[in-house]
Structure formats: structure tokens, C-alpha cells
Amino acid sequence: WQRDFETGKLPRITPPNSHASSTPASDGQRVYVHFSTLGLVALDAKSGEQNWQRSLPAANYLMDWGAALSPIVHDGTVYFNQDDDLSPTLFAVDAKSGAIKWTAERSDMLAGYAVPVICEANGQTDVVISGTGFLKGYDPATGAERWSCNSTLRTMMASPVVRDGIIYLSCQSYGDEKRTLKFALLEWL
């Protein structure tokens, strides 16, 4: 099957990013995709029929870097992290209905592109996200921040990798110790 969607007016985007940068996720029943002007969309994995669509706030990126974030699905929930330059937020959406279960504001973040990962260690499951200045773990049921590690730089693009309860992280970005870019973005907008 193949599906086409009316996207509406597309925001400016800086190459080499494109409007098709997001990677779909699937739980075997549905395929979950994100598109900047549509939000999250769930499609039946067998037929391609749309099950639901969940609009999300438009993201704001300095220099029009554009959306490129991807959803993940775990235990009946779709997690989508939208670390933009103004209102970074982690969304937890019910995989069957598309209803928002919870959101977690990430106000100490700036634009980043790391995809969340699930980490299971010592009997605990966390949604782990690498972002500006911090690697953080969230309770998958409530969105409560459980822990934080001051270990990253700005504009994280590399997602953590988990193996045997150990989180591996690669930092490739430059630092922004004074967080001056967020002020510059507000002035620019």
C-alpha cells in the first residue's frame, strides 16, 4: 500500500534536511509517522488505512533547520520528542486512539534531533532522551523526570543506544554554555 497526504503550506527548511526526514515506527499493528504540518499519524500496518491523526504544535528552529524527529512505540504508547528552540516537549500518545496520555516540558533544551530510546535496567523502564546539556530518563507511565546526567552539548543529533541496561551516548555537537541562542531566536522571531 501507499498513502498520500495533503500537507498544506510547507515551512521553510534548510538543506540537507528535507520534509521527509522522520523515520516511521511500527508495533506490527500500526505504522506511526510524523510530518511537520500534520503531526503524528497512525496507519493500519496491513491496509494503510488511517487510524488516527494527532496535531502537534508547530516547531520553531533557529535558521529553519526544520523537523526531523521520529516517533518510537513501546507498550501501547507512541513517544515523540520535539526538541525545538522555543517549546521543547516530550509527548506520550496512546497507540490505539491517538489521545495524548501526558506531556513533559523540556524547557532547558534547545533544538535537537535525538530520538528517544527505551532503557530497561534493574527492574525499571525509562524513556531516555539525549538533549542540550543533559541525558534524561522519564517514567514511561507519567512523564515524570526520574534522573538527569549533565553530559551532552547543544543540538544533539545522536540518539542513545541501550544494551544490557547500559546507555551509550556519542556527543558530536558544539557547546552553548550561556544559552545565548535561545535569546537570539526569540529576537529573530
mmCIF file of all heavy atoms in Angstrom, residues 4-47:
data_model
loop_
_atom_site.group_PDB
_atom_site.id
_atom_site.type_symbol
_atom_site.label_atom_id
_atom_site.label_comp_id
_atom_site.label_asym_id
_atom_site.label_seq_id
_atom_site.Cartn_x
_atom_site.Cartn_y
_atom_site.Cartn_z
ATOM 1 N N ASP A 4 -0.928 8.961 0.348
ATOM 2 C CA ASP A 4 -0.558 10.345 0.072
ATOM 3 C C ASP A 4 -1.381 11.236 0.993
ATOM 4 O O ASP A 4 -2.534 10.928 1.303
ATOM 5 C CB ASP A 4 -0.869 10.709 -1.385
ATOM 6 C CG ASP A 4 -0.026 9.912 -2.364
ATOM 7 O OD1 ASP A 4 1.174 9.713 -2.077
ATOM 8 O OD2 ASP A 4 -0.567 9.492 -3.403
ATOM 9 N N PHE A 5 -0.768 12.357 1.431
ATOM 10 C CA PHE A 5 -1.440 13.280 2.340
ATOM 11 C C PHE A 5 -1.317 14.696 1.819
ATOM 12 O O PHE A 5 -0.290 15.077 1.260
ATOM 13 C CB PHE A 5 -0.812 13.221 3.745
ATOM 14 C CG PHE A 5 -1.031 11.919 4.435
ATOM 15 C CD1 PHE A 5 -0.117 10.889 4.309
ATOM 16 C CD2 PHE A 5 -2.154 11.715 5.218
ATOM 17 C CE1 PHE A 5 -0.308 9.682 4.942
ATOM 18 C CE2 PHE A 5 -2.367 10.506 5.855
ATOM 19 C CZ PHE A 5 -1.437 9.481 5.720
ATOM 20 N N GLU A 6 -2.351 15.479 2.033
ATOM 21 C CA GLU A 6 -2.303 16.908 1.737
ATOM 22 C C GLU A 6 -1.598 17.574 2.915
ATOM 23 O O GLU A 6 -2.099 17.549 4.033
ATOM 24 C CB GLU A 6 -3.708 17.471 1.553
ATOM 25 C CG GLU A 6 -3.734 18.951 1.254
ATOM 26 C CD GLU A 6 -2.931 19.320 0.011
ATOM 27 O OE1 GLU A 6 -3.056 18.637 -1.016
ATOM 28 O OE2 GLU A 6 -2.162 20.300 0.095
ATOM 29 N N THR A 7 -0.438 18.159 2.670
ATOM 30 C CA THR A 7 0.380 18.702 3.755
ATOM 31 C C THR A 7 0.082 20.153 4.077
ATOM 32 O O THR A 7 0.472 20.638 5.126
ATOM 33 C CB THR A 7 1.875 18.603 3.405
ATOM 34 O OG1 THR A 7 2.130 19.414 2.245
ATOM 35 C CG2 THR A 7 2.276 17.171 3.156
ATOM 36 N N GLY A 8 -0.565 20.875 3.175
ATOM 37 C CA GLY A 8 -0.713 22.305 3.368
ATOM 38 C C GLY A 8 0.590 23.004 3.024
ATOM 39 O O GLY A 8 1.519 22.399 2.479
ATOM 40 N N LYS A 9 0.668 24.273 3.357
ATOM 41 C CA LYS A 9 1.868 25.051 3.057
ATOM 42 C C LYS A 9 3.029 24.539 3.907
ATOM 43 O O LYS A 9 2.923 24.446 5.136
ATOM 44 C CB LYS A 9 1.637 26.526 3.335
ATOM 45 C CG LYS A 9 2.818 27.383 2.962
ATOM 46 C CD LYS A 9 2.574 28.848 3.201
ATOM 47 C CE LYS A 9 3.829 29.625 2.845
ATOM 48 N NZ LYS A 9 3.710 31.022 3.161
ATOM 49 N N LEU A 10 4.125 24.219 3.253
ATOM 50 C CA LEU A 10 5.293 23.692 3.957
ATOM 51 C C LEU A 10 6.168 24.825 4.475
ATOM 52 O O LEU A 10 6.398 25.810 3.774
ATOM 53 C CB LEU A 10 6.110 22.796 3.025
ATOM 54 C CG LEU A 10 5.399 21.543 2.542
ATOM 55 C CD1 LEU A 10 6.263 20.808 1.517
ATOM 56 C CD2 LEU A 10 5.057 20.636 3.707
ATOM 57 N N PRO A 11 6.673 24.694 5.710
ATOM 58 C CA PRO A 11 7.578 25.711 6.236
ATOM 59 C C PRO A 11 8.923 25.670 5.517
ATOM 60 O O PRO A 11 9.281 24.650 4.920
ATOM 61 C CB PRO A 11 7.727 25.324 7.712
ATOM 62 C CG PRO A 11 7.422 23.870 7.757
ATOM 63 C CD PRO A 11 6.438 23.609 6.660
ATOM 64 N N ARG A 12 9.644 26.775 5.581
ATOM 65 C CA ARG A 12 10.999 26.787 5.014
ATOM 66 C C ARG A 12 11.836 25.758 5.755
ATOM 67 O O ARG A 12 11.633 25.505 6.939
ATOM 68 C CB ARG A 12 11.639 28.169 5.161
ATOM 69 C CG ARG A 12 11.026 29.198 4.285
ATOM 70 C CD ARG A 12 11.738 30.516 4.326
ATOM 71 N NE ARG A 12 12.473 30.739 5.560
ATOM 72 C CZ ARG A 12 13.130 31.843 5.846
ATOM 73 N NH1 ARG A 12 13.144 32.835 4.997
ATOM 74 N NH2 ARG A 12 13.780 31.990 6.976
ATOM 75 N N ILE A 13 12.801 25.208 5.052
ATOM 76 C CA ILE A 13 13.670 24.209 5.656
ATOM 77 C C ILE A 13 15.064 24.358 5.059
ATOM 78 O O ILE A 13 15.210 24.699 3.885
ATOM 79 C CB ILE A 13 13.098 22.787 5.442
ATOM 80 C CG1 ILE A 13 13.749 21.794 6.383
ATOM 81 C CG2 ILE A 13 13.213 22.359 4.004
ATOM 82 C CD1 ILE A 13 12.994 20.478 6.479
ATOM 83 N N THR A 14 16.075 24.167 5.884
ATOM 84 C CA THR A 14 17.457 24.330 5.449
ATOM 85 C C THR A 14 18.027 22.990 4.997
ATOM 86 O O THR A 14 18.029 22.039 5.770
ATOM 87 C CB THR A 14 18.323 24.903 6.593
ATOM 88 O OG1 THR A 14 17.768 26.158 6.992
ATOM 89 C CG2 THR A 14 19.767 25.094 6.164
ATOM 90 N N PRO A 15 18.499 22.894 3.748
ATOM 91 C CA PRO A 15 19.132 21.650 3.284
ATOM 92 C C PRO A 15 20.397 21.379 4.115
ATOM 93 O O PRO A 15 21.003 22.323 4.620
ATOM 94 C CB PRO A 15 19.504 21.953 1.838
ATOM 95 C CG PRO A 15 18.639 23.114 1.448
ATOM 96 C CD PRO A 15 18.411 23.902 2.706
ATOM 97 N N PRO A 16 20.783 20.132 4.311
ATOM 98 C CA PRO A 16 20.306 18.965 3.582
ATOM 99 C C PRO A 16 19.055 18.327 4.194
ATOM 100 O O PRO A 16 18.628 17.273 3.729
ATOM 101 C CB PRO A 16 21.487 17.997 3.673
ATOM 102 C CG PRO A 16 22.099 18.309 4.995
ATOM 103 C CD PRO A 16 21.936 19.804 5.158
ATOM 104 N N ASN A 17 18.466 18.928 5.221
ATOM 105 C CA ASN A 17 17.233 18.377 5.773
ATOM 106 C C ASN A 17 16.138 18.444 4.711
ATOM 107 O O ASN A 17 16.175 19.288 3.825
ATOM 108 C CB ASN A 17 16.805 19.148 7.021
ATOM 109 C CG ASN A 17 15.740 18.435 7.821
ATOM 110 O OD1 ASN A 17 15.433 17.273 7.586
ATOM 111 N ND2 ASN A 17 15.163 19.120 8.780
ATOM 112 N N SER A 18 15.160 17.555 4.823
ATOM 113 C CA SER A 18 14.019 17.580 3.919
ATOM 114 C C SER A 18 12.760 17.365 4.753
ATOM 115 O O SER A 18 12.829 17.030 5.931
ATOM 116 C CB SER A 18 14.141 16.484 2.858
ATOM 117 O OG SER A 18 13.782 15.226 3.394
ATOM 118 N N HIS A 19 11.615 17.540 4.133
ATOM 119 C CA HIS A 19 10.354 17.361 4.841
ATOM 120 C C HIS A 19 10.036 15.885 5.079
ATOM 121 O O HIS A 19 9.056 15.562 5.740
ATOM 122 C CB HIS A 19 9.219 18.042 4.085
ATOM 123 C CG HIS A 19 9.330 19.529 4.111
ATOM 124 N ND1 HIS A 19 9.067 20.278 5.240
ATOM 125 C CD2 HIS A 19 9.709 20.412 3.159
ATOM 126 C CE1 HIS A 19 9.265 21.555 4.987
ATOM 127 N NE2 HIS A 19 9.652 21.662 3.733
ATOM 128 N N ALA A 20 10.866 14.991 4.562
ATOM 129 C CA ALA A 20 10.653 13.547 4.744
ATOM 130 C C ALA A 20 11.756 12.927 5.588
ATOM 131 O O ALA A 20 12.128 11.778 5.391
ATOM 132 C CB ALA A 20 10.576 12.871 3.380
ATOM 133 N N SER A 21 12.275 13.657 6.560
ATOM 134 C CA SER A 21 13.393 13.165 7.366
ATOM 135 C C SER A 21 12.984 12.226 8.492
ATOM 136 O O SER A 21 13.800 11.474 8.998
ATOM 137 C CB SER A 21 14.171 14.342 7.963
ATOM 138 O OG SER A 21 14.809 15.058 6.947
ATOM 139 N N SER A 22 11.757 12.285 8.920
ATOM 140 C CA SER A 22 11.303 11.454 10.032
ATOM 141 C C SER A 22 11.223 9.986 9.620
ATOM 142 O O SER A 22 10.783 9.662 8.524
ATOM 143 C CB SER A 22 9.923 11.939 10.498
ATOM 144 O OG SER A 22 9.465 11.161 11.571
ATOM 145 N N THR A 23 11.641 9.103 10.518
ATOM 146 C CA THR A 23 11.577 7.660 10.288
ATOM 147 C C THR A 23 10.321 7.098 10.940
ATOM 148 O O THR A 23 10.057 7.375 12.108
ATOM 149 C CB THR A 23 12.820 6.977 10.886
ATOM 150 O OG1 THR A 23 13.993 7.533 10.288
ATOM 151 C CG2 THR A 23 12.790 5.479 10.647
ATOM 152 N N PRO A 24 9.520 6.307 10.232
ATOM 153 C CA PRO A 24 8.324 5.709 10.830
ATOM 154 C C PRO A 24 8.688 4.684 11.909
ATOM 155 O O PRO A 24 9.794 4.154 11.930
ATOM 156 C CB PRO A 24 7.642 5.012 9.651
ATOM 157 C CG PRO A 24 8.267 5.568 8.427
ATOM 158 C CD PRO A 24 9.638 5.996 8.810
ATOM 159 N N ALA A 25 7.728 4.395 12.780
ATOM 160 C CA ALA A 25 7.857 3.338 13.785
ATOM 161 C C ALA A 25 6.639 2.438 13.652
ATOM 162 O O ALA A 25 5.582 2.867 13.173
ATOM 163 C CB ALA A 25 7.920 3.937 15.188
ATOM 164 N N SER A 26 6.768 1.173 14.079
ATOM 165 C CA SER A 26 5.633 0.258 13.988
ATOM 166 C C SER A 26 5.634 -0.704 15.167
ATOM 167 O O SER A 26 6.692 -1.085 15.668
ATOM 168 C CB SER A 26 5.694 -0.531 12.682
ATOM 169 O OG SER A 26 4.598 -1.437 12.612
ATOM 170 N N ASP A 27 4.430 -1.095 15.577
ATOM 171 C CA ASP A 27 4.270 -2.125 16.596
ATOM 172 C C ASP A 27 3.718 -3.407 15.980
ATOM 173 O O ASP A 27 3.302 -4.318 16.683
ATOM 174 C CB ASP A 27 3.365 -1.638 17.730
ATOM 175 C CG ASP A 27 1.992 -1.190 17.248
ATOM 176 O OD1 ASP A 27 1.649 -1.423 16.064
ATOM 177 O OD2 ASP A 27 1.261 -0.590 18.054
ATOM 178 N N GLY A 28 3.703 -3.489 14.652
ATOM 179 C CA GLY A 28 3.170 -4.644 13.946
ATOM 180 C C GLY A 28 1.690 -4.501 13.592
ATOM 181 O O GLY A 28 1.209 -5.134 12.668
ATOM 182 N N GLN A 29 0.970 -3.672 14.342
ATOM 183 C CA GLN A 29 -0.444 -3.423 14.045
ATOM 184 C C GLN A 29 -0.632 -2.118 13.290
ATOM 185 O O GLN A 29 -1.467 -2.024 12.398
ATOM 186 C CB GLN A 29 -1.251 -3.375 15.341
ATOM 187 C CG GLN A 29 -1.265 -4.688 16.075
ATOM 188 C CD GLN A 29 -2.039 -4.579 17.380
ATOM 189 O OE1 GLN A 29 -2.055 -3.534 18.039
ATOM 190 N NE2 GLN A 29 -2.687 -5.667 17.752
ATOM 191 N N ARG A 30 0.126 -1.114 13.689
ATOM 192 C CA ARG A 30 0.036 0.205 13.073
ATOM 193 C C ARG A 30 1.438 0.726 12.753
ATOM 194 O O ARG A 30 2.413 0.342 13.389
ATOM 195 C CB ARG A 30 -0.669 1.187 14.015
ATOM 196 C CG ARG A 30 -2.169 0.971 14.118
ATOM 197 C CD ARG A 30 -2.790 1.807 15.224
ATOM 198 N NE ARG A 30 -2.403 1.316 16.541
ATOM 199 C CZ ARG A 30 -2.962 0.272 17.157
ATOM 200 N NH1 ARG A 30 -3.931 -0.396 16.585
ATOM 201 N NH2 ARG A 30 -2.560 -0.107 18.344
ATOM 202 N N VAL A 31 1.488 1.633 11.771
ATOM 203 C CA VAL A 31 2.708 2.353 11.429
ATOM 204 C C VAL A 31 2.482 3.796 11.852
ATOM 205 O O VAL A 31 1.455 4.395 11.518
ATOM 206 C CB VAL A 31 3.004 2.277 9.914
ATOM 207 C CG1 VAL A 31 4.229 3.104 9.562
ATOM 208 C CG2 VAL A 31 3.181 0.827 9.482
ATOM 209 N N TYR A 32 3.440 4.356 12.598
ATOM 210 C CA TYR A 32 3.315 5.712 13.128
ATOM 211 C C TYR A 32 4.324 6.600 12.415
ATOM 212 O O TYR A 32 5.518 6.286 12.359
ATOM 213 C CB TYR A 32 3.572 5.722 14.634
ATOM 214 C CG TYR A 32 2.710 4.720 15.359
ATOM 215 C CD1 TYR A 32 3.184 3.435 15.626
ATOM 216 C CD2 TYR A 32 1.410 5.026 15.731
ATOM 217 C CE1 TYR A 32 2.390 2.498 16.268
ATOM 218 C CE2 TYR A 32 0.606 4.096 16.372
ATOM 219 C CZ TYR A 32 1.104 2.829 16.639
ATOM 220 O OH TYR A 32 0.313 1.901 17.259
ATOM 221 N N VAL A 33 3.824 7.701 11.857
ATOM 222 C CA VAL A 33 4.695 8.623 11.137
ATOM 223 C C VAL A 33 4.484 10.036 11.672
ATOM 224 O O VAL A 33 3.425 10.370 12.211
ATOM 225 C CB VAL A 33 4.425 8.590 9.608
ATOM 226 C CG1 VAL A 33 4.755 7.225 9.041
ATOM 227 C CG2 VAL A 33 2.995 8.965 9.288
ATOM 228 N N HIS A 34 5.515 10.855 11.533
ATOM 229 C CA HIS A 34 5.408 12.264 11.885
ATOM 230 C C HIS A 34 5.725 13.087 10.652
ATOM 231 O O HIS A 34 6.646 12.781 9.894
ATOM 232 C CB HIS A 34 6.384 12.638 13.004
ATOM 233 C CG HIS A 34 6.376 14.108 13.284
ATOM 234 N ND1 HIS A 34 7.303 14.964 12.752
ATOM 235 C CD2 HIS A 34 5.525 14.869 14.014
ATOM 236 C CE1 HIS A 34 7.031 16.199 13.156
ATOM 237 N NE2 HIS A 34 5.961 16.175 13.902
ATOM 238 N N PHE A 35 4.935 14.141 10.458
ATOM 239 C CA PHE A 35 5.200 15.116 9.416
ATOM 240 C C PHE A 35 4.923 16.482 10.017
ATOM 241 O O PHE A 35 3.920 16.659 10.710
ATOM 242 C CB PHE A 35 4.317 14.869 8.188
ATOM 243 C CG PHE A 35 4.782 15.619 6.976
ATOM 244 C CD1 PHE A 35 5.798 15.104 6.182
ATOM 245 C CD2 PHE A 35 4.225 16.841 6.652
ATOM 246 C CE1 PHE A 35 6.247 15.803 5.065
ATOM 247 C CE2 PHE A 35 4.661 17.549 5.544
ATOM 248 C CZ PHE A 35 5.672 17.024 4.748
ATOM 249 N N SER A 36 5.792 17.442 9.755
ATOM 250 C CA SER A 36 5.745 18.730 10.457
ATOM 251 C C SER A 36 4.383 19.416 10.411
ATOM 252 O O SER A 36 3.947 19.983 11.409
ATOM 253 C CB SER A 36 6.821 19.668 9.912
ATOM 254 O OG SER A 36 6.594 19.934 8.536
ATOM 255 N N THR A 37 3.696 19.389 9.283
ATOM 256 C CA THR A 37 2.416 20.094 9.181
ATOM 257 C C THR A 37 1.215 19.225 9.539
ATOM 258 O O THR A 37 0.109 19.743 9.672
ATOM 259 C CB THR A 37 2.208 20.650 7.753
ATOM 260 O OG1 THR A 37 2.262 19.567 6.819
ATOM 261 C CG2 THR A 37 3.263 21.696 7.411
ATOM 262 N N LEU A 38 1.420 17.934 9.720
ATOM 263 C CA LEU A 38 0.322 17.025 10.041
ATOM 264 C C LEU A 38 0.345 16.549 11.489
ATOM 265 O O LEU A 38 -0.685 16.194 12.043
ATOM 266 C CB LEU A 38 0.367 15.789 9.129
ATOM 267 C CG LEU A 38 0.253 16.039 7.629
ATOM 268 C CD1 LEU A 38 0.419 14.734 6.866
ATOM 269 C CD2 LEU A 38 -1.074 16.693 7.302
ATOM 270 N N GLY A 39 1.509 16.476 12.091
ATOM 271 C CA GLY A 39 1.655 15.907 13.430
ATOM 272 C C GLY A 39 1.918 14.418 13.323
ATOM 273 O O GLY A 39 2.590 13.954 12.406
ATOM 274 N N LEU A 40 1.369 13.655 14.258
ATOM 275 C CA LEU A 40 1.526 12.197 14.254
ATOM 276 C C LEU A 40 0.333 11.563 13.555
ATOM 277 O O LEU A 40 -0.809 11.967 13.762
ATOM 278 C CB LEU A 40 1.611 11.664 15.678
ATOM 279 C CG LEU A 40 2.893 11.953 16.441
ATOM 280 C CD1 LEU A 40 2.742 11.569 17.911
ATOM 281 C CD2 LEU A 40 4.071 11.215 15.820
ATOM 282 N N VAL A 41 0.617 10.546 12.745
ATOM 283 C CA VAL A 41 -0.427 9.827 12.029
ATOM 284 C C VAL A 41 -0.199 8.336 12.239
ATOM 285 O O VAL A 41 0.940 7.856 12.150
ATOM 286 C CB VAL A 41 -0.398 10.156 10.515
ATOM 287 C CG1 VAL A 41 -1.474 9.380 9.777
ATOM 288 C CG2 VAL A 41 -0.555 11.655 10.282
ATOM 289 N N ALA A 42 -1.287 7.607 12.532
ATOM 290 C CA ALA A 42 -1.223 6.154 12.672
ATOM 291 C C ALA A 42 -1.962 5.514 11.507
ATOM 292 O O ALA A 42 -3.107 5.864 11.216
ATOM 293 C CB ALA A 42 -1.850 5.708 13.989
ATOM 294 N N LEU A 43 -1.293 4.579 10.845
ATOM 295 C CA LEU A 43 -1.859 3.870 9.709
ATOM 296 C C LEU A 43 -1.915 2.382 10.024
ATOM 297 O O LEU A 43 -0.999 1.845 10.650
ATOM 298 C CB LEU A 43 -0.993 4.093 8.463
ATOM 299 C CG LEU A 43 -0.711 5.543 8.090
ATOM 300 C CD1 LEU A 43 0.349 5.613 7.011
ATOM 301 C CD2 LEU A 43 -1.994 6.217 7.641
ATOM 302 N N ASP A 44 -2.968 1.718 9.578
ATOM 303 C CA ASP A 44 -3.061 0.273 9.737
ATOM 304 C C ASP A 44 -1.910 -0.375 8.973
ATOM 305 O O ASP A 44 -1.695 -0.087 7.792
ATOM 306 C CB ASP A 44 -4.406 -0.224 9.206
ATOM 307 C CG ASP A 44 -4.578 -1.707 9.395
ATOM 308 O OD1 ASP A 44 -4.133 -2.469 8.514
ATOM 309 O OD2 ASP A 44 -5.143 -2.101 10.439
ATOM 310 N N ALA A 45 -1.153 -1.241 9.644
ATOM 311 C CA ALA A 45 0.042 -1.823 9.034
ATOM 312 C C ALA A 45 -0.291 -2.711 7.839
ATOM 313 O O ALA A 45 0.521 -2.832 6.917
ATOM 314 C CB ALA A 45 0.829 -2.617 10.080
ATOM 315 N N LYS A 46 -1.463 -3.342 7.827
ATOM 316 C CA LYS A 46 -1.820 -4.239 6.718
ATOM 317 C C LYS A 46 -2.439 -3.502 5.544
ATOM 318 O O LYS A 46 -2.139 -3.778 4.396
ATOM 319 C CB LYS A 46 -2.775 -5.329 7.214
ATOM 320 C CG LYS A 46 -2.111 -6.330 8.125
ATOM 321 C CD LYS A 46 -3.078 -7.401 8.554
ATOM 322 C CE LYS A 46 -2.393 -8.366 9.517
ATOM 323 N NZ LYS A 46 -3.337 -9.381 10.006
ATOM 324 N N SER A 47 -3.320 -2.549 5.833
ATOM 325 C CA SER A 47 -4.079 -1.903 4.755
ATOM 326 C C SER A 47 -3.603 -0.496 4.401
ATOM 327 O O SER A 47 -3.900 0.004 3.323
ATOM 328 C CB SER A 47 -5.557 -1.820 5.148
ATOM 329 O OG SER A 47 -5.737 -0.902 6.220
#
